[in-house]
């Protein structure tokens, strides 16, 4: 499927002092021509400037810009060709099945899971037995029973979005981003590896992409609503999920701060305890059937 292009001005890197306008211009607020607007889209409000990281604040935020294009990988599984890329270090099986969603786009854990964490090749800051059990019931079927391989952690590899991207370069298939704020919330989302940043605002992902949070006590997951295909953006200075209203989750390039708000893509509410938060840690996990530790 050919990339979808939007009539926008030529893209240039932001100048110093205009970063706030640049970051907010990444956020799409209107649907593609062939998509029906969400019933809640009329009630979406932009994130107030005071809830954004200080480096993004300003009086000239723009909320009306479309993304430059959707990547060839953006869309449902049936709309994109299967890719086969050899992995030198970690081989991860790519799921070709859409995840079932019997309760709508929002799912909640309803059982007390005591599952073992032996499938994790390294210790996680965030993954408890309950959260692991929740993921076992939420991830694509081909990933269930796989070992989890820690590709990146800020505590282990430093605070750098570029390092996170580089650590995923040998990955082929889904990967799970797990982050947390300083108040104890754990949240994140499912992406497709390898994570390749684009110079233009190009959305990536499939209808298997989701976001999740634990701020409601039990883990809760939000799948795409079908309102748009703004699954996630990989840029050199930001990693963001969703669009339409706000980003569901957006991490800055230093992986120290982020924002979250309700968005049309996933029909979610704020994933963190506040729209503007400081990150405790960032983890990126891959999946493999063979036990192995990352180098």
């Amino acid at each position: 499927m050919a990339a979808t292009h939007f009539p926008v001005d030529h893209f240039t890197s932001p100048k110093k002092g205009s970063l706030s306008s640049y970051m907010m211009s990444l956020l799409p607020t209107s649907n593609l021509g062939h998509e029906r607007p969400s019933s809640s889209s009329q009630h979406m409000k932009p994130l107030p400037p005071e809830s954004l990281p200080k480096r993004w604040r300003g009086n000239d935020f723009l909320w009306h810009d479309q993304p430059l294009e959707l990547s060839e990988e953006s869309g449902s599984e049936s709309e994109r060709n299967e890719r086969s890329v050899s992995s030198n270090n970690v081989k991860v099986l790519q799921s070709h099945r859409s995840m079932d969603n019997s309760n709508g786009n929002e799912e909640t854990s309803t059982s007390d899971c005591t599952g073992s964490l032996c499938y994790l090749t390294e210790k996680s800051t965030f993954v408890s037995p309950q959260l692991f059990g929740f993921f076992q019931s939420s991830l694509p079927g081909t990933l269930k029973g796989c070992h989890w391989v820690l590709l990146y952690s800020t505590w282990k590899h430093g605070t750098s979005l570029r390092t996170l991207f580089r650590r995923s370069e040998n990955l082929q298939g889904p990967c799970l981003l797990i982050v947390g704020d300083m108040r104890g919330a754990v949240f994140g989302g499912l992406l497709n590896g390898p994570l390749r940043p684009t110079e233009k605002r190009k959305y990536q992902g499939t209808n298997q992409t989701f976001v999740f949070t634990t701020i409601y006590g039990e883990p809760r997951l939000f799948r795409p609503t079908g309102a748009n295909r703004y699954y996630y953006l990989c840029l050199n200075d930001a990693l963001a999920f969703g669009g339409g209203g706000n980003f569901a989750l957006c991490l800055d390039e230093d992986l120290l701060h982020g924002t979250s708000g309700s968005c049309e893509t996933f029909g979610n509410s704020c994933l963190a305890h506040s729209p503007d938060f400081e990150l405790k840690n960032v983890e990126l996990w891959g999946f493999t059937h063979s036990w192995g530790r990352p180098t």
Side-chain angles (χ1 to χ4, degrees):
M1 182 181 71
T4 303
H5 297 269
F6 296 90
V8 296
D9 295 335
H10 180 69
F11 178 82
T12 56
S13 299
K15 297 180 180 179
K16 185 177 181 181
S18 63
L19 181 59
S20 60
S21 299
Y22 162 67
M23 292 303 297
M24 299 317 302
S25 71
L26 302 179
L27 183 62
T29 57
S30 58
N31 293 297
L32 300 179
H34 62 278
E35 294 167 341
R36 300 180 62 183
S38 168
S39 59
S40 61
S41 62
Q42 297 179 352
H43 304 289
M44 290 291 183
K45 296 182 178 180
L47 212 60
E50 61 269 16
S51 69
L52 296 171
K54 292 181 179 179
R55 58 184 295 185
W56 297 3
R57 297 176 186 173
N59 298 321
D60 52 353
F61 288 158
L62 300 178
W63 296 89
H64 54 76
D65 292 311
Q66 297 262 17
L68 289 183
E69 55 190 54
L70 296 173
S71 72
E72 295 179 0
E73 299 171 354
S74 181
S76 65
E77 286 291 295
S78 61
E79 292 176 334
R80 66 187 183 93
N81 296 326
E82 298 177 3
R83 296 181 303 160
S84 177
V85 180
S86 60
S87 173
N88 295 327
N89 299 322
V90 181
K91 291 186 178 180
V92 184
L93 296 179
Q94 183 174 8
S95 171
H96 301 288
R97 290 186 280 177
S98 296
M99 293 179 286
D100 295 329
N101 183 4
S102 58
N103 298 322
N105 77 291
E106 176 184 324
E107 298 178 7
T108 306
S109 173
T110 58
S111 61
D112 294 331
C113 176
T114 57
S116 172
L117 298 181
C118 63
Y119 288 99
L120 275 64
T121 59
E122 296 190 47
K123 185 177 180 181
S124 170
T125 306
F126 304 118
V127 181
S128 64
Q130 181 192 26
L131 188 57
F132 179 81
F134 170 75
F135 287 132
Q136 285 295 89
S137 64
S138 303
L139 290 170
T142 54
L143 299 182
K144 296 175 182 178
C146 287
H147 293 294
W148 291 34
V149 180
L150 183 62
L151 302 174
Y152 172 84
S153 168
T154 51
W155 283 12
K156 183 176 182 180
H157 303 107
T159 55
S160 169
L161 186 59
R162 290 179 182 270
T163 301
L164 184 150
F165 290 152
R166 180 175 56 81
R167 297 283 302 177
S168 75
E169 63 186 8
N170 290 321
L171 179 69
Q172 174 58 30
C175 54
L176 185 63
L177 180 75
I178 306 178
V179 305
D181 64 21
M182 292 298 185
R183 296 173 59 184
V186 178
F187 44 95
L190 187 71
L191 311 102
N192 286 344
L195 302 179
R196 295 191 175 112
T198 60
E199 293 183 2
K200 297 181 179 180
R201 297 174 298 232
K202 180 187 294 185
Y203 270 85
Q204 305 177 50
T206 73
N207 62 357
Q208 288 191 342
T209 306
F210 63 70
V211 294
F212 73 92
T213 183
T214 65
I215 62 171
Y216 302 101
E218 290 186 332
R220 184 173 296 182
L221 182 142
F222 299 89
R223 300 191 191 276
T225 62
N228 55 51
R229 291 184 288 125
Y230 303 147
Y231 299 121
Y232 63 84
L233 281 171
C234 279
L235 302 172
N236 287 319
D237 53 4
L239 176 61
F241 287 84
N246 304 283
F247 289 127
L249 174 62
C250 185
L251 305 183
D252 203 353
E253 61 183 327
D254 57 11
L255 296 182
L256 295 175
H257 302 89
T259 61
S260 177
S262 26
C263 79
E264 297 174 9
T265 307
F266 301 105
N268 63 284
S269 53
C270 181
L271 303 178
H273 281 294
S274 62
D276 176 14
F277 54 86
E278 184 178 353
L279 288 163
K280 178 180 180 180
N281 192 20
V282 176
E283 297 178 352
L284 183 69
W285 293 87
F287 305 91
T288 180
H289 280 296
S290 60
W291 183 279
R293 296 182 181 275
T295 58

